[in-house]
Amino acid sequence: MTRIAVIQGHPDSVANHLCHALADAYAQGASAAGHEVDIVAVASLEFPLLRSKDDWLRGEEATPSGLREAQKICTAADHLVLIYPLWLGTMPALLKGFLEQVFRPGVALGDGRGFPVGLLKGKSARVVVTMGMPALAYRYYFMAHSLKNLQRNILGFAGIKPIRTTIFGLVENVSEKRSQKWMHTMRTIGSDAR
């Protein structure tokens, strides 16, 4: 059994979006295979944004009370799944703010004489991104720059590996057949805890 934290990063807590359906499909597949799954809906959490280096360096004890349970879920998990829509070429600001608060020094990063040491070694991750453009255009023309940044500079620094990715492009007005194929894909990778 694998403990999985699904981080639902769509910032809209009112409407039901494709990201929500993808997270649910992943969780269904994982639960059916006997894995333990917790879903963290970032849009439902209240927390301030970090505004200074001092705020960041205060570490674990400075984690806002509204994020402590989410932080425990993320640190206890063996596998993290981040799901979000591509907005202005990157993850929504709310998700970035969440990661800055949760992946603090003393939680995800230790001090290795000026260079960060990953404290989340032994965990793996899957990043799922939805977007209006074709997935191939994002991957090869735009070089998936924001996705690579998340992999290398956030998850990788924290010691998480391997980090797998899934990109769903052309999501606007997607056909029912294609949508069901995507849900099947998510249930399958959820079942495999990948």
Side-chain angles (χ1 to χ4, degrees):
M1 177 193 74
T2 303
R3 293 184 72 171
I4 302 170
V6 176
I7 302 168
Q8 171 46 265
H10 198 294
D12 186 352
S13 64
V14 179
N16 195 16
H17 296 277
L18 175 61
C19 287
H20 297 96
L22 294 170
D24 290 344
Y26 185 97
Q28 289 165 4
S31 294
H35 303 295
E36 183 180 327
V37 181
D38 287 300
I39 297 179
V40 176
V42 175
S44 68
L45 303 172
E46 292 292 328
F47 58 92
L49 297 177
L50 293 176
R51 296 185 180 271
S52 71
K53 181 179 179 181
D54 289 339
D55 286 348
W56 164 253
L57 292 176
R58 287 184 17 223
E60 183 177 6
E61 69 278 356
T63 301
S65 59
L67 291 180
R68 288 196 183 122
E69 183 62 26
Q71 190 174 60
K72 285 178 191 172
I73 289 169
C74 290
T75 56
D78 304 306
H79 183 66
L80 301 172
V81 180
L82 286 84
I83 301 173
Y84 63 89
L86 190 72
W87 281 16
L88 293 176
T90 191
M91 72 180 80
L94 189 67
L95 178 58
K96 178 71 163 50
F98 170 85
L99 293 173
E100 288 173 355
Q101 288 282 16
V102 170
F103 281 36
R104 287 177 163 277
V107 176
L109 300 170
D111 185 15
R113 296 186 208 147
F115 194 78
V117 174
L119 299 179
L120 300 180
K121 289 182 178 163
K123 298 181 187 308
S124 58
R126 162 87 50 187
V127 180
V128 179
V129 185
T130 65
M131 61 192 63
M133 76 174 83
L136 289 174
Y138 177 70
R139 228 183 246 285
Y140 298 110
Y141 182 76
F142 292 102
M143 305 306 290
H145 65 283
S146 67
L147 181 55
K148 288 178 183 175
N149 179 57
L150 172 60
Q151 290 176 281
R152 181 184 60 238
N153 299 340
I154 299 175
L155 301 176
F157 268 13
I160 298 170
K161 67 179 183 179
I163 304 164
R164 297 173 181 92
T165 62
T166 303
I167 301 174
F168 295 112
L170 297 173
V171 300
E172 302 297 323
N173 304 313
V174 66
S175 70
E176 183 63 25
K177 182 178 179 182
R178 182 172 216 118
S179 176
Q180 288 308 311
K181 182 178 178 185
W182 292 347
M183 297 309 137
H184 176 73
T185 297
M186 293 300 287
R187 283 190 292 274
T188 300
I189 59 177
S191 176
D192 295 339
R194 296 188 75 202

